[in-house]
Amino acid sequence: MSMYYYRPPELSETEFALFESLTRRRFLIGAGALGLGAITGCGPGDQAGGPATSTPFAATSRTMQGVLGNTYTLSGPPQRLHVGTGPDLDTALSVGIIPTSIEIYGDAELRPDQAAAAGVELIRYVDGPNLEALAAANPDLILTGWGEDYHQRMAEIAPTFFIDSSNKPWRDIAREIGRILFKDAEVEALIANLEARFAGFRERLRARAGQTPCILYTSTGTDFTLMTRDSAVGQLMVELGFAPLAKTGDIFGESVSLEGLASEAQGDFLLLLASGFRFVDPNEPVPEGIQQFLNNPITRALPAAQGGIFLYPRDGNDVYYFTVMLIPIFVDLLEQLLTQAPGTR
Amino acid sequence: MSTITTRSTSARTLRIARSRPMLLLGLLVFAGLLGIALMSSIAFGAADIAPADVWQAIVAFNPESTEHLIIQTLRIPRAAVAALVGASLAVAGALMQGLTRNPLADPGILGIETGAALGVVAAVFFLGIGSLYLYALFAFAGAALTAVAVYTLGSLGRGGPTPLKITIAGAALTALLSSLTTGMLIFNQRTLEEVRFWLAGSVAGRDLPLLIQAAPYLIAGLLLALGLGRQITTISLGDDVAKGLGQRTGWVKGLTAVATVLLAGGAVAVAGPIGFVGLVIPHAVRFLVGQDYRWILPYAALAGAIFLVLSDVAARLVLRPTELPVGVMTALIGGPFFVYLVRWRVKR
């Protein structure tokens, strides 16, 4: 049994800043510095990643169902967009729309100083959206993924659309948002670009085609979620040529104890999605709880661990949903991880 | 006439049941039940392991066998942690109920659980701590500091530390610290994610080194508490009575607070905040053995251990292979039982 860790490379200060910008946490600065094409892996002249490409379709007004079941007639892309969750934000940024306000929850992934520098207002979500701040931001379109109790009042501020993203296929999420933002063509180009990436991945890692990864998520090293084939990460692994475990339980994944893993953690290798990382420091140690799990003799004896344990340092919400912005990061890191094992290429 | 006869018979029965030999016998029975509970905890879990393998894992450990590793490194430490934590919480609860003469008192009245939670959340938030061993250290520090602060606040003014002042100081400080903890969790989702399981109270993943780290505090607390049985019985009759009987109440209150901090602080440090054990078990034990803390305390220790060990077994089995935090299970079992107990006492 071998263990493989992802380690960010040693970087100079400038490279470090660049690398930071590639994570969603620091995206807003990166968006300005790099151009949006860098995020999706396309060159600036590339149709797939070129920001705000206009399309004939985009000029036509369209009628769509809003959050309250009502219909809105939108005449073009928003000028003052408010976004509430990661998929909304990622998709908007990827198609070249910088929101004027973003709802943040918990530690969020955006720093207030960077957001302010980019002219974006961060509105903190505490037991509900801050409606006063939201109204003051004066959006002309609101995308939200939570706060059902507040939808009525949000809809009074601006046309509001609810984007349900939990374990929904990433293409569906992107297309739904792209349609609301009048960026269908850009979204399709992003999807085509990602599909090309998947094909490249499958080609380079064809030795692993059809293998079954046991995908575990943990934040503590003591309790685990076994991610099923139907989960967001499971669906993505299928696209990359793998055959993740199918479970009959909750599609979000099955909660399992360490003892339960002895029988449940089947597969050709163990992909451990572990949180607690800051992700960009090459010298950052593995969080102690996770390290204790890795050192545990029971972990090493798990059936799936016999094909290697691949530690993926999760540093965002890229477990329960995937977006056009998160996918390239995941795919690249996964390739780097897996190719460390002999015989992968 | 018949009512008087019945009452006199039932009083005689109660006297016999609570005679010294019977109470000693009861302790042996409880010790036996604890043994059975511990064996259940070792035998049952998420993995199906044959009884013969369980026995082999204990008497002829083979480090190459996953089943043996599960028994030796997961189930045995876990059962021991549950027993020690359960005993400590129940005794701490009994001490607080005796000292404050408040039937709803538990270690939380000194702000111990809130202080421990704040200690852990602050450690994760500010220092990025991610280890159960370090959680335990910060939890104990938070619990001890909070208890000292509550006791000091409750001792200010005339009359020294009175139950009422301690209760008010505890409630005020608990509210303050809870707000701070909530604030940190709202502003840092990562912290919430990392401490979520700890905050729910669990004995999962607790290993022998962690138990060894906390055991001295818990055992010292248990010994100190058991030595205070007579004094707590006296003080539970009221400060004036205790003083009239020549008791130095200040010392007794101080030592009881120290024992409570060692027991509840150590228990929370190891397993996180686990509710209902400190509240329910002393009531159940009092129903069996009466108001004498020389018996209440050892019985509470054994009953608390049995209760938490069995709750943990249930937490592992009800949704196998998913595990519930044992704190959820104690609330599920303890809540209805407590309501029943209160109704039964009101009827009497």
Side-chain angles (χ1 to χ4, degrees):
Chain A
M1 195 278 301
S2 305
M3 220 169 290
Y4 305 95
Y5 298 86
Y6 171 77
R7 277 280 178 270
E10 293 286 350
L11 302 169
S12 70
E13 202 171 316
T14 318
E15 288 170 327
F16 186 79
L18 193 70
F19 187 85
E20 273 197 321
S21 71
L22 289 174
T23 67
R24 297 174 63 228
R25 181 188 306 281
R26 289 95 182 173
F27 177 79
L28 286 178
I29 277 187
L34 295 172
L36 291 162
I39 305 301
T40 55
C42 308
D46 193 317
Q47 172 76 12
T53 311
S54 61
T55 63
F57 189 53
T60 318
S61 66
R62 52 183 66 171
T63 302
M64 279 173 291
Q65 191 172 43
V67 69
L68 302 171
N70 56 329
T71 52
Y72 292 113
T73 301
L74 303 176
S75 56
Q79 301 303 306
R80 297 185 60 79
L81 173 67
H82 170 85
V83 295
T85 55
D88 313 342
L89 173 63
D90 286 6
T91 311
L93 291 170
S94 300
V95 296
I97 295 178
I98 305 276
T100 48
S101 56
I102 300 171
E103 210 157 86
I104 57 168
Y105 176 78
D107 60 347
E109 300 185 347
L110 300 166
R111 282 181 9 200
D113 56 329
Q114 294 172 340
V120 175
E121 187 181 349
L122 298 184
I123 298 176
R124 187 165 286 282
Y125 183 103
V126 180
D127 287 337
N130 184 338
L131 292 168
E132 191 175 326
L134 179 56
N138 193 26
D140 61 0
L141 186 73
I142 297 173
L143 298 182
T144 183
W146 46 28
E148 284 80 353
D149 295 341
Y150 298 88
H151 286 169
Q152 172 75 46
R153 280 181 280 174
M154 292 168 88
E156 287 165 7
I157 296 171
T160 303
F161 294 90
F162 178 72
I163 310 296
D164 178 15
S165 54
S166 291
N167 293 292
K168 205 167 161 181
W170 64 271
R171 283 182 188 78
D172 293 354
I173 300 171
R175 285 183 174 132
E176 186 180 355
I177 298 171
R179 184 164 155 69
I180 296 167
L181 299 179
F182 288 70
K183 297 288 182 184
D184 315 64
E186 287 83 347
V187 165
E188 290 304 327
L190 287 165
I191 290 172
N193 176 266
L194 290 175
E195 283 171 346
R197 264 179 191 258
F198 297 160
F201 179 99
R202 287 193 297 266
E203 173 59 25
R204 289 189 293 278
L205 279 80
R206 56 182 174 277
R208 286 194 178 273
Q211 285 191 347
T212 296
C214 173
I215 312 165
L216 278 187
Y217 165 63
T218 184
S219 59
T220 59
T222 53
D223 60 311
F224 308 87
T225 305
L226 190 57
M227 307 304 285
T228 66
R229 187 182 298 171
D230 295 326
S231 68
V233 64
Q235 291 173 38
L236 189 57
M237 292 297 281
V238 169
E239 294 210 55
L240 293 171
F242 298 99
L245 295 168
K247 303 297 288 187
T248 53
D250 187 347
I251 60 159
F252 288 82
E254 189 175 17
S255 178
V256 186
S257 64
L258 177 56
E259 186 178 327
L261 287 180
S263 56
E264 298 288 317
Q266 302 291 335
D268 295 308
F269 62 92
L270 182 65
L271 177 62
L272 184 67
L273 312 172
S275 62
F277 289 86
R278 268 47 175 178
F279 199 39
V280 290
D281 178 0
N283 300 313
E284 181 187 9
V286 175
E288 208 172 327
I290 308 294
Q291 190 61 59
Q292 281 166 10
F293 167 68
L294 293 171
N295 292 340
N296 193 319
I298 294 175
T299 306
R300 291 162 180 266
L302 294 176
Q306 305 318 303
I309 299 177
F310 297 87
L311 181 66
Y312 177 85
R314 171 197 178 237
D315 184 49
N317 290 323
D318 48 334
V319 168
Y320 295 110
Y321 64 81
F322 273 100
T323 69
V324 287
M325 189 184 290
L326 290 172
I327 287 171
I329 298 173
F330 180 82
V331 173
D332 286 354
L333 284 186
L334 186 67
E335 186 170 345
Q336 284 186 47
L337 265 177
L338 294 178
T339 48
Q340 289 178 39
T344 295
R345 280 196 196 270
Chain B
M1 181 68 186
S2 67
T3 311
I4 294 170
T5 311
T6 310
R7 277 191 184 159
S8 126
T9 311
S10 108
R12 203 166 45 245
T13 312
L14 208 58
R15 244 195 334 270
I16 293 167
R18 289 176 181 170
S19 65
R20 192 179 166 80
M22 290 304 283
L23 288 171
L24 279 172
L25 185 65
L27 274 181
L28 287 177
V29 171
F30 269 59
L33 290 174
L34 176 58
I36 293 169
L38 287 169
M39 282 312 294
S40 309
S41 178
I42 294 168
F44 301 114
D48 280 324
I49 301 176
D53 284 339
V54 174
W55 180 246
Q56 281 299 310
I58 295 169
V59 298
F61 175 62
N62 171 13
E64 300 298 315
S65 159
T66 304
E67 285 78 14
H68 287 200
L69 283 169
I70 287 172
I71 299 292
Q72 284 278 349
T73 65
L74 295 180
R75 290 192 189 172
I76 290 176
R78 183 175 184 156
V81 166
L84 202 49
V85 166
S88 301
L89 288 174
V91 171
L95 287 177
M96 289 313 295
Q97 287 171 14
L99 182 69
T100 62
R101 300 189 294 283
N102 176 354
L104 291 175
D106 70 358
I109 214 164
L110 281 177
I112 285 173
E113 290 170 0
T114 320
L118 179 63
V120 169
V121 169
V124 176
F125 186 84
F126 291 112
L127 306 173
I129 299 297
S131 149
L132 274 176
Y133 299 103
L134 294 173
Y135 280 8
L137 197 68
F138 282 95
F140 192 78
L145 285 173
T146 310
V148 168
V150 168
Y151 197 79
T152 307
L153 283 172
S155 306
L156 295 175
R158 276 191 294 179
T162 66
L164 181 62
K165 284 198 288 179
I166 289 176
T167 304
I168 292 171
L173 215 59
T174 297
L176 172 69
L177 300 184
S178 294
S179 304
L180 291 174
T181 306
T182 306
M184 275 189 270
L185 292 176
I186 283 174
F187 280 86
N188 193 310
Q189 197 177 6
R190 187 199 307 271
T191 303
L192 174 62
E193 195 170 295
E194 287 178 24
V195 301
R196 181 176 46 86
F197 213 72
W198 187 89
L199 286 175
S202 174
V203 291
R206 274 59 172 177
D207 55 16
L208 222 45
L210 183 65
L211 182 63
I212 290 167
Q213 184 179 307
Y217 303 103
L218 298 175
I219 291 168
L222 281 172
L223 292 176
L224 180 58
L226 293 176
L228 285 168
R230 195 162 60 86
Q231 286 81 359
I232 298 286
T233 306
T234 310
I235 211 167
S236 68
L237 300 171
D239 270 19
D240 292 339
V241 175
K243 279 177 185 162
L245 291 171
Q247 188 177 92
R248 296 164 74 185
T249 55
W251 271 100
V252 173
K253 288 174 185 172
L255 287 173
T256 306
V258 169
T260 307
V261 169
L262 288 171
L263 290 167
V268 175
V270 172
I274 295 176
F276 279 99
V277 183
L279 183 63
V280 171
I281 296 298
H283 282 285
V285 164
R286 225 175 271 122
F287 162 69
L288 286 175
V289 304
Q291 301 298 325
D292 188 341
Y293 278 80
R294 288 174 302 176
W295 293 107
I296 288 175
L297 292 171
Y299 266 90
L302 288 170
I306 294 166
F307 179 62
L308 199 62
V309 170
L310 291 180
S311 294
D312 182 47
V313 173
R316 277 183 270 170
L317 296 182
V318 287
L319 292 176
R320 207 161 65 146
T322 299
E323 275 187 18
L324 287 174
V326 72
V328 173
M329 193 50 73
T330 56
L332 283 174
I333 300 171
F337 179 72
F338 191 63
V339 170
Y340 167 76
L341 205 66
V342 170
R343 282 181 59 83
W344 182 82
R345 285 181 70 123
V346 168
K347 275 186 187 169
R348 286 188 74 200

